Amino acid sequence: YLPLDFLRPAVERALARGLGRQVDVGGVHLNLFGTPGLTLDDVVIHEDPRAGIEPFAYVNSLGAKVRWLSLFRRHLDFANLNLGDATINLVKTEAGPWNFQFLLARTPSGGGAGGGGTADGSPVPAIRMRAGRVNFKFGDLKSVFYFDAADLDVDPHSDGSVELRFGGAPSRTDGTARDFGRFFVNGTWRSSPSQNLDLNVDLERSSLAEVSRLIDPRGFGIHGIVALQAQLSGPPSGLAISGQVQVDDVHRWDLVPQGGGWKLPFQGTLDLHRETLELASPPAVQQAAQLSLSLRAWDFLSTTQWEAGAQLNQIPLAALIEVARHMGAALPDQLVAEGGVSGSLDYKEARTEWGRSPTCQGRLEACAAGASSPEDGGLNGRIELSDALLTLPGSQPLHAESIALDIAQGEIRLEPTTVAIGEKESAELQGSYALLQPHDPDLRLTSRGLNVADMRPFGLAAIPLLDQTTQGTWRGTARYRAGEWSGEYEL
């Protein structure tokens, strides 16, 4: 490298013309290896005044390829900038646009129009970054979200479009380093005649637990594998989204994966200015499928807030029991279930600092509760089981025409339900289960007469006296609460 510090003022002016913002350079060297160019040390690319005062990028060593034709005009321009492992700040301004929009608007055909440009309309150089870091800011507030090991390519074209390629590992500053699958974006940006993006987005197969910690550092206690593919098109304030998410091997943290998965298509809109995202199952899926989902998120890079909904339409009860087994429910392996489940559920995250739920301590039940009141958020809804039938080998089947569950204020309530046992016996069940402070359910059983032998296979043998009895008839009322049975009955 040949030191050329006397060129530093000219280099700084050339970079400022190309990037539309002030640039400070610590040292200039002529690179004679490979394609001749300049190597710039300790480069600070300052921010557009509309986006704040913290610099846009810090670059330890920047490789700059000169646009040689500009030398004949005695006007130094750069064709390519290699930022190496730089640190970049992406800022959302109070007016709405992001700082990168000011930079991308400086296309060869657009000149300085659209923001951030200079009067001479110097084109944006091609930009490269490898293994860098991308931070997010909102005014002067820096987000806990960032991308590590980030690769970036920005290639302006003569027709006014800009080709974009990005890859990085999503991370949070308030958690330990974790292994995420990489997140990829590639496509084009056009600033004329109006701003428009056309992008493909991919998330490699990643740990579901780690991805969930992007929302809450303590997670939801659910493990598995998730991958995503999506297409985005339109203006930054109204990007149309369509794609598919793949979820596999869902299980509780302390259990072994048992396989199985789902492919869930979605569509919706993304507003980069207002930081809002709305997704839902496509209309065709909502009409034909047994399960349709919706998601709305806002302030997702600062104080993450979100709410989700699910519509169930005669989902097989057997499928839900299998999911419950994956999540650790102690259900007999020989249990056979029939019937359908319908209803609607919605969940709203409690509003707390950085999107954390105060009741979530890494347990699924606590996270599902979300908050202490409906105003704060939490899980709400109603589901109904129709024509439900449960069978165990060697025992009478249990049948209920309808079972209704109401979920509100952190509690699941089982409405009074008549359950037939075999052809001649029946019992009435009702109960509740608290999500905010998980413990054993509160269950009440009432019957005018049940065969003791028919009660034992379904976990009722722990009722006092029944644990010592193999035959007879039981009638009366029993209640299971706080881990103990009590009641008034005859045997």
Side-chain angles (χ1 to χ4, degrees), residues 441-478:
D442 184 348
L443 180 67
R444 183 184 295 272
L445 169 70
T446 303
S447 177
R448 294 181 179 180
L450 293 176
N451 189 303
V452 169
D454 294 336
M455 299 173 66
R456 299 180 66 85
F458 292 98
L460 301 179
I463 295 177
L465 293 183
L466 293 190
D467 56 352
Q468 304 294 326
T469 307
T470 58
Q471 65 182 29
T473 300
W474 181 96
R475 59 179 174 267
T477 299

Side-chain angles (χ1 to χ4, degrees), residues 43 97 100 122 164 208 246 252-253 286 318 369 380 440:
V43 177
F100 69 83
S122 298
L164 303 172
L208 179 60
Q246 173 80 36
R252 203 174 68 185
W253 66 273
Q286 295 181 22
N380 293 274
D440 291 323

